[in-house]
Amino acid sequence: MPLKGQLTMLSGSGGNITVLDSHEGKLLVDAGIAVSRPRIDVALSEISSAPPKYLINTHYHWDHTDGNPWVKEEGAKIIATAGTAKRLSVATHVTMWDYTFPKMAKDGMPTEIVKTDKTFRFGGQTVEVRLLTPSHTDTDLYVVFKEANVAALGDLFWNGVYPFIDNEHGGGIDGMISADDAILAKLDDDVVLVPGHGPVGTKKQFQDFRNMLAAIRDNVAALKKQGKTLDEVIAAKPTAKYDAVYGQFVITPDFFTRIVYEGLK
């Protein structure tokens, strides 16, 4: 999906991938799933023959980082937060998925750790890497391509679908809403947004997503305060107003209610 200028979004391999193409090489935001490499290679070659020079991981989750080793093998430097490097260095069990993700192979580990916001020039763009307090996980960042007015938000934005929030590894519904508020305050109205999942989005769609999170958080919190169990809260359907829009993907209304319930502090 062409974005603006030399920027493109690839979808279909786990999380969305943002590609900045230039005579200096390519910059990728997220790497998808390793098994998709042949199809990603074709997509990248259709953009240009330039090799990847940078890969930025928005967070540690497998569907965004599993392709790290082959992208690094092609010559890319991998940029990530200290939290992402820490999570990738060990096997990580996610109870909600009942799955243990193996630790990252050594050749897929980040090569540059960002501990504060980072700005650099590449491919005719000012690339801004912006860090956040714990939100979707405790490892998140997002990327702004300033001149193109394009932002890659990773899993801080799921366009048109309920999100997964990793309560077990630093995430939480309150942190997610706070992070989205912080991002929204810095975005231009006509920005083009690459979500972690879903189609290319607008600032209005991102604002609608944030408002949905807050409304469901409030609904679930009120029910939980009444002493209702998780099953009772699910039965009350606190997401009902939003299910037609957001409830048609892998995170079902019941699953999202559980995520919010268990993430409330």
Side-chain angles (χ1 to χ4, degrees):
M1 173 65 70
L3 301 172
K4 286 185 178 180
Q6 296 300 107
L7 285 151
T8 304
M9 185 184 89
L10 308 183
S11 62
S13 175
N16 291 325
I17 300 170
T18 306
V19 183
L20 170 61
D21 183 47
S22 76
H23 68 277
E24 299 177 65
K26 292 188 179 78
L27 182 154
L28 277 61
V29 181
D30 288 333
I33 298 170
V35 71
S36 303
R37 178 180 180 177
R39 295 177 67 186
I40 296 173
D41 270 337
V42 169
L44 291 175
S45 67
E46 289 175 351
I47 295 170
S48 82
S49 60
K53 293 296 185 182
Y54 289 99
L55 167 60
I56 303 173
N57 290 154
T58 58
H59 61 293
Y60 87 94
H61 281 154
W62 169 82
D63 55 325
H64 296 258
T65 60
D66 193 49
N68 277 16
W70 76 260
V71 179
K72 189 174 180 181
E73 176 187 305
E74 299 253 333
K77 175 186 290 187
I78 302 177
I79 299 171
T81 65
T84 290
K86 177 183 176 181
R87 297 288 183 202
L88 292 179
S89 69
V90 296
T92 303
H93 184 75
V94 179
T95 302
M96 282 191 172
W97 297 116
D98 191 25
Y99 190 81
T100 300
F101 295 99
K103 71 177 183 179
M104 176 63 67
K106 185 177 180 181
D107 56 2
M109 289 296 293
T111 51
E112 180 179 343
I113 305 302
V114 286
K115 297 182 178 179
T116 59
D117 292 354
K118 174 184 175 68
T119 299
F120 63 102
R121 292 284 298 175
F122 183 81
Q125 291 290 319
T126 303
V127 182
E128 299 177 348
V129 180
R130 299 178 179 174
L131 278 59
L132 296 154
T133 55
S135 43
H136 167 64
T137 68
D138 58 7
T139 71
D140 296 281
L141 58 77
Y142 70 106
V143 182
V144 175
F145 300 94
K146 188 172 182 180
E147 287 78 10
N149 198 20
V150 171
L153 302 187
D155 279 2
L156 299 161
F157 179 30
W158 296 46
N159 193 13
V161 294
Y162 288 133
F164 177 66
I165 302 174
D166 196 341
N167 297 325
E168 229 176 333
H169 301 98
I173 184 66
D174 289 328
M176 186 88 156
I177 294 166
S178 294
D180 286 356
D181 283 340
I183 297 169
L184 281 160
K186 295 183 178 181
L187 295 177
D188 294 337
D189 288 343
D190 60 347
V191 67
V192 173
L193 298 176
V194 178
H197 300 271
V200 174
T202 64
K203 186 176 182 180
K204 182 184 182 305
Q205 288 172 317
F206 185 33
Q207 181 72 63
D208 289 346
F209 172 80
R210 178 267 174 213
N211 292 345
M212 173 274 294
L213 295 181
I216 293 175
R217 184 268 315 273
D218 292 348
N219 290 346
V220 173
L223 292 166
K224 191 172 184 179
K225 189 175 181 179
Q226 294 170 21
K228 294 188 181 296
T229 66
L230 173 59
D231 287 343
E232 289 171 333
V233 173
I234 289 173
K237 300 189 180 302
T239 66
K241 178 180 177 181
Y242 301 95
D243 291 347
V245 174
Y246 295 96
Q248 311 301 313
F249 191 52
V250 65
I251 307 297
T252 64
D254 288 359
F255 192 0
F256 186 59
T257 299
R258 178 188 169 194
I259 290 169
V260 175
Y261 184 95
E262 295 183 355
L264 285 168
K265 306 302 183 186

